[in-house]
Amino acid sequence: MDRPEGKKAWTVTVGTKGQIVLPKEAREMFDINPGDTLIILGDKQKGMAIPPKAQFSDFFGKVFNR
């Protein structure tokens, strides 16, 4: 199957403590390093998303300026 440029999909396993390990390719793509803080967004109907950390300030600006 051909994927659009820049589009990826990975699977993760949830451990007994509810933790997941992000695949190395995903960590490298999004420059995620040990100790980084990520935000997980959830919508009961649409699912979960982890936006790139570079977009945090833009995201929060849009949310809190409304």
Side-chain angles (χ1 to χ4, degrees):
M1 167 177 21
D2 291 332
R3 292 185 193 144
E5 183 70 26
K7 305 288 184 182
K8 302 281 185 178
W10 301 280
T11 61
V12 297
T13 302
V14 179
T16 57
K17 295 182 180 181
Q19 298 171 320
I20 62 171
V21 175
L22 298 175
K24 181 180 179 185
E25 187 180 18
R27 294 190 315 265
E28 290 175 346
M29 177 183 283
F30 294 104
D31 190 31
I32 298 170
N33 299 293
D36 285 353
T37 299
L38 303 177
I39 185 169
I40 298 177
L41 306 174
D43 181 298
K44 199 167 188 175
Q45 294 178 340
K46 295 181 181 180
M48 296 187 329
I50 305 172
K53 63 184 179 180
Q55 295 178 356
F56 283 4
S57 60
D58 182 47
F59 171 75
F60 285 118
K62 290 178 182 176
V63 169
F64 293 112
N65 284 334
R66 288 190 172 180

